[in-house]
Amino acid sequence: MGSEFTYYLGLDMGTDSLGWAVTDSSYHILRAKGKDLWGVRLFPAAETSVERRTYRVSRRRRQREVARIGALKELFADEIEKVDSGFFVRLDESKFHMEDRSESNKQKYGLFSDNLFTDTEYYAKYPTIFHLRKELLESEKPHDVRLVYLALLNMFKHRGHFLNSSLQIEGENSSVGESYHTFVDTLNDSELEFPEHVSEEQLNEILRSNDSRKRKVEKLLAELNISKKQKRECQFINLICGLKGKLSDLFPDKEYDEEQKKLAFSFRDSDYEEKENTIRELLDESEMDMIDAVKAVHDSAVLSGIMKDYPYLSVARVASYEKHKQDLGILKGVLKRYDKKAYFEMFRNENIKEESYSAYVGSVNYHGIHRRGLGSGKQEDFYTKVKKVLKEFPQDDEDVKYILVEIENERFLPKQLTASNGVIPNQVHAREMSAILKQAEHYLPFLKERDDTGLSVSEKILQLFMFQIPYYVGPLGQEYKDKKGYNVWAERKAPGKIYPWNFEEKIDVKKSAEKFIGRMVRRCTYLSGEQALPKQSLLYEKFQVLNELNNLRVRGEKISVSLKQEIYHELFEDGKKVSMTRLTNFLLRNGIISSDEKDSCISGIDGGFHNSLSSIGKFKGVFGDTVYTDEHRKMIEDIIFWGTVYGDGKKLLKEKVEETYGNQLTEVQKKRIFGFKFSGWGRLSKEFLTMEGASKEDGEIKGLIQAMWDTNCNLDVV
């Protein structure tokens, strides 16, 4: 090819391939060394860090669980050694087959091997761990130290979630009313109509009742005075009651493809976590906050239904066990009376079908056939099978009537292990643990012994159980900090093993939090080194709204600056999102457009505004109209910044607010502020939005945000 020759190189770049071709000016493929100059290079597609992060989080969670259980074992070791020196070895190897156990532990029992008390007697007396926990709660008689350890060990392995930091040990199990009011607070920038003032007693009564989920929906609609024509509100009510909600009906103003339009979900779906990832990708933060808030109402209702009026979880679980036992006896009796073949299929068939009782509970035990861990079938499949079988039986039989009613109300043959266990918070378990330890202190004196920390063994156990490493402190592996790639920012005060009771002696929490802020805060896109604003800061939300509002056109022409400012004050400053309907009604009301042209004369925005002044709406409920004063704006911006940095770390947020503004806020105002949720970072810094530049229209030197206010220019139109 000579120096005057012209040729084109075409590239087709994909996520896992690169296609290329070389042509002359007439687009004929060229040749070199006997080959056409075109081809493709394939390579593995890039992967996000989600899978790796999931494994890392699971590994750390498991490591911390093992460490907690190890500390619990240390506290009990001396006392259990006096009674049974081989107990921990048997317990650790109880999951192994006989041939896989150590030579010193070749025995058939996995827990107890006393002369008068073996595993046989243990399981006969305590069919489930909750029977043991309940007895330790209620009985004042002395119990074997090993039984107390087993009960505590079970709680340490299933210690509940930490999502509700405001819930106290010595308080109610859950508050449906409080969760509902938090949900309503998240709606301040939407057009959903949910009443703020409702009877908490009625909410509890409806959601805890024995009615079916559909019946609960009907009652809740009536209580909240919501019509079935209010489609969006009805979808949220469905979610609260455990039914499915359709995403495209919940948020109809968004764009969906064909698959996304079909997406429906319930918080009780076994695959909800997978669907949640898809939902988060489709919704913005304020919309996802609404989903999280309505889930909190649902979870509070489920927890309330689990606990009923029982003070402790184990008492409720034993009651559930007894009901299952009673229902099973009734079902067996009915099948034996009317259809022995159906009885065999339901309970004794080794070829387990999905809808049988054996599949429902995941085991079968019949004449030498003993299989467990088969995987549980779905409740709805089992209920459908039972109803189908019962159709052939006399409908006036009282037992048949009972079974059908219980199935209709979804409380027939309740199970202990269900997905709903995920709603139980740590505080519910901790309340029961505290009561068990108080009872045990009467016959196990070592639990009251104190060491140089000033804490008793019981107090240490509770702290171990309830402690959670603040996420802004992060991993504690300081000794490996210099190792390449090790992700640690925790600042130590002193070396040594860390326990909950010496955490603040070993870790400098404030310095760790400051380093966390430095890692978390995003940097400005345009000004190198400057911190970006929180996405929900007052200034950044104003920028986002103006950047969208300045594009608004009526009859193809940009609106006047004065009208733009009037729309901002009248529609946006209430904190709610401004839909096309609200905008159209405002323009009609003020004579800007006529009713004949309302559907065709507005352009420049896509079916309504996507941004809002949500933080103004939140803090107006706290400060009223004084939210606009310089004093309050500074306070609000600080609170939003801290709330974004610390996220769910409410303790540190409370400390910062108390330290800086404690004397300026009432307790009522503080409580409301601590209930707000802020997340996400913008792309721009305060310095960028307020830096001076020349306004294009009048040449006056103004800050960027001021220029956007005084003109109809935005950041994309200079």
Side-chain angles (χ1 to χ4, degrees):
M1 298 178 186
S3 59
E4 300 297 325
F5 186 78
T6 300
Y7 65 92
Y8 299 135
L9 172 64
L11 299 175
D12 177 22
M13 292 179 283
T15 58
D16 55 2
S17 64
L18 174 64
W20 61 276
V22 183
T23 72
D24 60 21
S25 57
S26 298
Y27 301 106
H28 298 124
I29 293 179
L30 298 177
R31 290 175 63 85
K33 297 181 180 180
K35 295 182 179 180
D36 290 337
L37 296 180
W38 69 277
V40 64
R41 293 290 182 267
L42 302 177
F43 48 85
E47 296 181 357
T48 65
S49 60
V50 172
E51 185 175 3
R52 182 170 175 266
R53 183 171 62 247
T54 301
Y55 286 130
R56 183 172 66 247
V57 169
S58 298
R59 183 177 68 249
R60 286 178 179 162
R61 183 182 292 119
R62 176 59 182 162
Q63 287 171 345
R64 290 170 182 172
E65 179 184 315
V66 169
R68 282 193 299 271
I69 291 174
L72 177 69
K73 187 185 291 187
E74 286 177 13
L75 294 172
F76 272 81
D78 291 342
E79 294 300 315
I80 290 180
E81 182 70 22
K82 296 174 185 176
V83 179
D84 184 353
S85 59
F87 176 73
F88 286 123
V89 175
R90 289 197 306 276
L91 182 60
D92 291 341
E93 298 184 357
S94 60
K95 57 183 175 292
F96 298 149
H97 289 290
M98 184 70 70
E99 58 270 22
D100 296 325
R101 295 179 184 177
S102 60
E103 289 301 322
S104 61
N105 187 35
K106 296 292 186 181
Q107 52 181 297
K108 66 176 183 178
Y109 298 119
L111 296 176
F112 301 95
S113 61
D114 302 352
N115 291 332
L116 300 177
F117 192 76
T118 64
D119 289 4
T120 304
E121 287 75 29
Y122 170 77
Y123 287 114
K125 190 172 184 180
Y126 307 112
T128 70
I129 191 65
F130 295 109
H131 286 77
L132 172 60
R133 286 165 55 170
K134 180 174 181 289
E135 182 171 292
L136 294 175
L137 272 170
E138 298 174 344
S139 174
E140 295 182 358
K141 294 179 180 178
H143 285 78
D144 193 308
V145 65
R146 293 171 294 178
L147 294 176
V148 177
Y149 175 80
L150 286 175
L152 298 179
L153 179 63
N154 173 254
M155 294 188 203
F156 268 76
K157 288 183 176 180
H158 309 280
R159 64 180 191 144
H161 66 73
F162 289 81
L163 301 177
N164 191 349
S165 58
S166 62
L167 190 63
Q168 301 298 314
I169 298 182
E170 302 300 332
E172 294 184 1
N173 292 314
S174 67
S175 174
V176 176
E178 185 177 331
S179 300
Y180 173 80
H181 290 305
T182 302
F183 165 62
V184 172
D185 281 343
T186 65
L187 307 181
N188 59 4
D189 60 348
S190 75
E191 295 184 332
L192 289 165
E193 298 178 2
F194 279 87
E196 290 187 30
H197 305 291
V198 296
S199 167
E200 294 189 16
E201 290 183 4
Q202 274 299 110
L203 280 179
N204 269 306
E205 185 177 334
I206 292 170
L207 295 174
R208 284 180 50 183
S209 69
N210 291 326
D211 295 320
S212 66
R213 283 179 279 180
K214 289 182 180 179
R215 180 62 181 146
K216 287 178 182 177
V217 168
E218 293 173 3
K219 287 185 175 181
L220 204 52
L221 289 173
E223 177 64 26
L224 300 178
N225 197 26
I226 292 174
S227 165
K228 289 187 177 180
K229 294 180 181 178
Q230 295 172 269
K231 198 169 184 179
R232 289 189 69 195
E233 284 81 355
C234 289
Q235 292 292 305
F236 277 99
I237 295 294
N238 282 349
L239 290 176
I240 288 174
C241 296
L243 294 176
K244 286 186 181 293
K246 198 172 182 181
L247 190 64
S248 57
D249 290 337
L250 289 162
F251 302 100
D253 296 333
K254 303 187 76 67
E255 294 184 4
Y256 304 95
D257 61 29
E258 290 304 314
E259 283 300 313
Q260 292 164 353
K261 283 180 181 178
K262 300 175 185 176
L263 179 59
F265 63 95
S266 163
F267 298 130
R268 301 189 189 183
D269 289 341
S270 58
D271 61 346
Y272 172 70
E273 288 187 5
E274 297 174 17
K275 291 180 179 178
E276 185 181 16
N277 293 329
T278 304
I279 295 167
R280 287 190 183 277
E281 291 173 2
L282 295 173
L283 302 183
D284 61 34
E285 289 180 15
S286 63
E287 290 164 342
M288 198 62 215
D289 284 346
M290 291 163 62
I291 296 295
D292 291 338
V294 80
K295 185 176 186 298
V297 184
H298 166 269
D299 290 353
S300 294
V302 172
L303 177 59
S304 187
I306 289 173
M307 298 298 296
K308 306 294 183 187
D309 291 320
Y310 298 111
Y312 300 108
L313 178 64
S314 60
V315 181
R317 288 301 195 202
V318 170
S320 173
Y321 176 91
E322 293 300 325
K323 184 179 187 317
H324 186 110
K325 184 177 179 180
Q326 173 193 330
D327 290 352
L328 183 58
I330 293 172
L331 178 61
K332 284 185 173 182
V334 168
L335 293 178
K336 282 180 180 178
R337 282 201 300 273
Y338 299 116
D339 192 339
K340 291 187 177 180
K341 182 180 178 182
Y343 178 91
F344 182 90
E345 289 292 332
M346 188 70 71
F347 299 106
R348 296 184 172 180
N349 193 348
E350 186 180 1
N351 298 318
I352 295 176
K353 297 180 180 178
E354 289 186 3
E355 65 272 13
S356 71
Y357 176 82
S358 298
Y360 177 59
V361 297
S363 67
V364 62
N365 187 3
Y366 168 62
H367 286 198
I369 301 170
H370 183 69
R371 295 171 60 195
R372 299 185 66 183
L374 301 172
S376 299
K378 294 182 179 179
Q379 184 187 68
E380 52 266 34
D381 294 335
F382 173 61
Y383 281 177
T384 301
K385 173 66 175 178
V386 173
K387 286 194 290 186
K388 184 178 178 181
V389 171
L390 295 187
K391 270 186 181 179
E392 308 300 323
F393 301 164
Q395 298 301 295
D396 57 351
D397 186 300
E398 290 300 321
D399 288 342
V400 172
K401 287 181 183 178
Y402 169 81
I403 293 172
L404 292 175
V405 168
E406 293 297 287
I407 287 176
E408 180 65 25
N409 292 325
E410 300 176 348
R411 58 175 189 258
F412 184 61
L413 287 168
K415 288 199 293 187
Q416 303 279 321
L417 300 178
T418 66
S420 63
N421 290 345
V423 308
I424 301 172
N426 174 262
Q427 293 91 330
V428 170
H429 292 289
R431 183 184 309 143
E432 184 170 328
M433 179 177 287
S434 177
I436 288 174
L437 288 169
K438 283 180 182 177
Q439 286 279 39
E441 283 176 355
H442 296 305
Y443 51 84
L444 297 176
F446 84 96
L447 292 174
K448 294 189 285 187
E449 293 175 0
R450 298 179 183 274
D451 58 13
D452 53 3
T453 64
L455 297 172
S456 68
V457 173
S458 289
E459 289 167 342
K460 284 186 173 182
I461 291 170
L462 272 172
Q463 285 196 20
L464 270 173
F465 183 75
M466 298 185 68
F467 181 72
Q468 185 184 32
I469 298 172
Y471 75 94
Y472 46 81
V473 170
L476 304 178
Q478 183 77 9
E479 56 268 32
Y480 304 114
K481 189 174 180 181
D482 296 329
K483 185 177 177 181
K484 185 178 178 181
Y486 201 79
N487 192 23
V488 174
W489 63 89
E491 285 288 336
R492 287 210 178 206
K493 291 180 180 177
K497 197 167 184 179
I498 298 172
Y499 294 99
W501 47 87
N502 69 359
F503 183 76
E504 294 193 3
E505 296 172 12
K506 301 288 186 182
I507 297 292
D508 191 322
V509 176
K510 288 197 173 181
K511 279 189 178 180
S512 300
E514 288 169 7
K515 289 184 70 174
F516 175 75
I517 292 172
R519 294 166 58 91
M520 284 294 294
V521 175
R522 186 179 291 178
R523 299 296 159 180
C524 179
T525 302
Y526 297 100
L527 295 183
S528 177
E530 297 293 346
Q531 287 186 353
L533 288 164
K535 203 169 186 178
Q536 291 166 278
S537 79
L538 303 183
L539 182 60
Y540 196 77
E541 285 193 338
K542 182 177 182 179
F543 157 74
Q544 287 184 299
V545 167
L546 290 177
N547 210 36
E548 194 174 7
L549 181 56
N550 285 347
N551 287 325
L552 180 62
R553 288 172 167 79
V554 174
R555 303 183 193 93
E557 299 291 332
K558 282 196 172 186
I559 61 174
S560 67
V561 172
S562 60
L563 177 58
K564 183 269 299 274
Q565 292 175 351
E566 191 176 350
I567 290 172
Y568 184 94
H569 288 309
E570 291 291 325
L571 298 184
F572 283 94
E573 285 188 344
D574 63 1
K576 296 182 179 180
K577 275 193 176 178
V578 179
S579 65
M580 185 64 81
T581 302
R582 288 186 68 198
L583 175 64
T584 303
N585 291 339
F586 174 84
L587 296 176
L588 284 170
R589 194 166 58 248
N590 288 274
I592 310 300
I593 63 174
S594 65
S595 57
D596 295 335
E597 58 180 351
K598 67 177 184 178
D599 295 327
S600 59
C601 67
I602 300 173
S603 60
I605 58 173
D606 184 17
F609 293 93
H610 298 290
N611 296 294
S612 67
L613 304 177
S614 62
S615 293
I616 284 285
K618 288 177 180 177
F619 283 95
K620 256 191 174 182
V622 179
F623 300 117
D625 289 336
T626 61
V627 73
Y628 299 108
T629 63
D630 290 341
E631 178 188 4
H632 278 156
R633 289 183 72 86
K634 172 68 168 61
M635 182 192 301
I636 291 167
E637 291 286 31
D638 285 342
I639 292 170
I640 293 172
F641 176 78
W642 297 327
T644 305
V645 168
Y646 299 128
D648 294 328
K650 297 295 185 184
K651 181 182 177 183
L652 210 57
L653 173 63
K654 289 177 182 178
E655 287 178 1
K656 293 289 289 184
V657 172
E658 289 286 358
E659 179 184 334
T660 313
Y661 298 112
N663 296 330
Q664 301 175 43
L665 296 168
T666 66
E667 291 303 316
V668 174
Q669 288 174 328
K670 291 175 190 175
K671 184 177 180 182
R672 185 149 192 178
I673 287 170
F674 296 148
F676 294 155
K677 183 178 179 181
F678 304 102
S679 62
W681 297 93
R683 297 180 294 108
L684 308 175
S685 63
K686 179 181 178 181
E687 289 73 15
F688 177 76
L689 290 176
T690 56
M691 73 177 182
E692 293 184 344
S695 171
K696 196 172 184 179
E697 294 188 3
D698 54 22
E700 183 184 350
I701 303 299
K702 299 177 180 179
L704 177 63
I705 197 73
Q706 188 63 42
M708 292 177 70
W709 175 254
D710 292 337
T711 70
N712 277 340
C713 296
N714 59 27
L715 191 60
D716 300 318
V717 183
V718 181

